[in-house]
Amino acid sequence: MSQLVCSTCRATYPLNDVRWKCDCGGALDIEFAPLFDRKQLKSRKPTMWRYREALPLDSDANIVSLGEGFTPLVEMDFDGRTVLIKQDQLFPTGSYKDRGAALLISKVKELGVQRVVEDSSGNAGCAVAAYCARAGVACEIFVPEDTAAAKLAQITAYGATLKKVPGSREDTARAALRAAAGRYYASHSWNPFFFHGTKTFAFEVCEQLGWKSPGTVIVPVGNGTLLLGCAIGFRELLGAGVIDRMPKLVGVQSANCAPLHRAFKDGADAVPHIEKKPTIAEGIAIAEPARGMQVVEAVRRSGGEFVIVDDAEIEAALKDTCGKGFYIEPTSAATIAGVKKHVAGSNDGDTVLSVFTGHGLKAAEKVVKLLG
Ligand SMILES: *Cc1c(COP(=O)(O)O)cnc(C)c1O
Ligand SMILES: [Zn+2]
């Protein structure tokens, strides 16, 4: 039976409860038995909805889609080592967050919720606003005051109400949490349906590799929405006997804001308080990630690791990647800097896979400043 289960106290709730956290305050996960019918897939459209029986949504009538998913894999060379890169910057709103927003807002529609709130440093806000526009759901997006102009324009263009919050990214999260008290919190860091959207990254990767798992998957970690999506997705494929091993999950953090790297290194059982410094990878600068220890546990369990990269390395990776024809945003370049570092230190001959998470057009002013 499908249900919501608390990651802290193990309390359970019906899957269709209109709630986004446990009464104890803990984050909820979804207990769910996905089905994979590989034969049927051949005749389906190349979108993330081809894995329909593995997505926790009751009725097809509630699917809110902009045609997202099944992004291309390309090969890139890093110091003689070939790495596969999934081009998730090519999603409808320009970042992989559409994976999570597509399923989450479909569920919002299914639950009959008419207003949602979300907070974001930009891209999650764009994704939630776009899918709400498609679904006809009202939405309020809380963003830090210094969010890139292009992202603010995109959020308002979709018709969302924008709330600019002075102070830090954490102040924005707190303001949204207060507003969420009386409304549905369509949060990419709290809401479990978001993660069952991002898990389609793992499904697509395995299908594109002929239903094999890569050896290592390198993804960015702020809140860890893609990393936890990978953990869920690969585990579901493993559980269903579709693949025969879990990949190592490697999380990349900015050296200026790396609480989970620290927790991992120290073998800690709680996320430490850190002094956060500004970074050009502002999309992953999350000092208090809602599911921090879940992310650390997922990395530990997979036999992976955390890598940190400084701003000079991120800038070099941005220059290098754009110079090869791929226009990505600085936050997205942090992951590529992490890839360079990881492959320099390991050569086990296994398939290494990573991702472009966000399109350069979203951060044109910043790219001009860095590379112009
Ligand atoms: C959201 C985002 C990330 C990091 O995602 P988290 O869920 O915070 O780990 C990385 N890159 C881009 C472009 C993003 O929009
Ligand atoms: Zn609980």
Side-chain angles (χ1 to χ4, degrees):
M1 197 192 69
S2 302
Q3 57 185 1
L4 299 169
V5 53
C6 176
S7 59
T8 305
C9 76
R10 312 307 298 169
T12 61
Y13 303 92
L15 194 61
N16 286 337
D17 255 22
V18 183
R19 65 162 61 238
W20 53 270
K21 66 171 178 179
C22 181
D23 288 339
C24 84
L28 295 170
D29 294 323
I30 299 174
E31 237 169 53
F32 170 69
L35 296 175
F36 299 93
D37 185 350
R38 281 181 273 171
K39 268 188 259 97
Q40 267 202 45
L41 288 178
K42 287 202 187 82
S43 60
R44 292 189 179 171
K45 286 183 191 153
T47 77
M48 62 177 251
W49 295 96
R50 59 201 275 105
Y51 313 105
R52 178 67 187 90
E53 296 80 6
L55 300 175
L57 186 76
D58 296 341
S59 167
D60 282 2
N62 295 320
I63 293 176
V64 179
S65 175
L66 295 165
E68 57 287 322
F70 224 77
T71 53
L73 276 182
V74 288
E75 286 184 0
M76 281 183 80
D77 187 81
F78 294 93
D79 299 326
R81 182 97 191 254
T82 300
V83 176
L84 292 167
I85 308 280
K86 194 148 170 69
Q87 295 201 68
D88 271 16
Q89 87 280 23
L90 300 178
F91 268 94
T93 78
S95 87
Y96 80 89
K97 299 283 194 320
D98 291 0
R99 293 186 186 279
L103 183 72
L104 172 55
I105 303 306
S106 296
K107 193 64 195 177
V108 160
K109 185 176 171 192
E110 185 153 274
L111 294 172
V113 171
Q114 276 155 16
R115 308 186 66 84
V116 302
V117 292
E118 157 73 317
D119 61 287
S120 159
S121 60
N123 289 342
C126 291
V128 167
Y131 286 85
C132 281
R134 183 80 166 153
V137 168
C139 92
E140 236 172 44
I141 307 287
F142 289 70
V143 293
E145 218 169 30
D146 60 358
T147 301
K151 294 181 187 180
L152 299 181
Q154 195 179 354
I155 291 168
T156 37
Y158 292 131
T161 307
L162 196 62
K163 303 269 185 196
K164 288 194 205 173
V165 183
S168 69
R169 176 68 184 87
E170 285 67 40
D171 292 323
T172 299
R174 278 188 283 272
L177 266 171
R178 278 194 298 276
R183 270 162 289 172
Y184 192 69
Y185 193 21
S187 166
H188 62 291
S189 51
W190 280 96
N191 202 298
F193 288 96
F194 195 92
F195 297 84
H196 281 254
T198 55
K199 78 181 180 185
T200 58
F201 180 90
F203 299 168
E204 290 177 18
V205 159
C206 290
E207 184 174 357
Q208 287 169 316
L209 297 179
W211 295 112
K212 285 199 176 56
S213 169
T216 301
V217 176
I218 306 175
V219 292
V221 171
N223 277 303
T225 59
L226 187 55
L227 192 135
L228 285 176
C230 284
I232 296 169
F234 286 113
R235 211 179 299 137
E236 286 183 349
L237 290 166
L238 189 65
V242 176
I243 55 173
D244 56 11
R245 60 163 183 180
M246 260 318 262
K248 287 186 193 124
L249 299 177
V250 174
V252 182
Q253 296 216 284
S254 160
N256 287 355
C257 184
L260 301 187
H261 168 259
R262 169 90 68 80
F264 179 81
K265 229 179 52 185
D266 294 351
D269 54 13
V271 179
H273 176 78
I274 55 136
E275 216 51 64
K276 162 173 162 181
K277 294 186 218 96
T279 167
I280 57 173
E282 90 288 339
I284 50 170
I286 308 290
E288 300 164 14
R291 294 173 181 266
M293 284 317 292
Q294 271 191 336
V295 179
V296 175
E297 288 300 333
V299 170
R300 277 181 188 148
R301 216 184 316 159
S302 76
E305 60 167 346
F306 281 87
V307 174
I308 51 170
V309 291
D310 64 30
D311 274 15
E313 292 167 324
I314 298 170
E315 195 175 327
L318 179 68
K319 202 172 263 179
D320 192 38
T321 307
C322 292
K324 288 175 174 157
F326 298 100
Y327 198 44
I328 57 171
E329 62 174 298
T331 292
S332 193
T335 311
I336 303 309
V339 169
K340 286 185 175 184
K341 226 172 210 177
H342 181 84
V343 300
S346 86
N347 196 352
D348 52 13
D350 225 345
T351 315
V352 177
L353 183 136
S354 187
V355 58
F356 293 146
T357 49
H359 205 290
L361 292 173
K362 287 183 161 251
E365 317 112 276
K366 220 160 134 191
V367 177
V368 168
K369 229 181 274 166
L370 290 169
L371 307 185

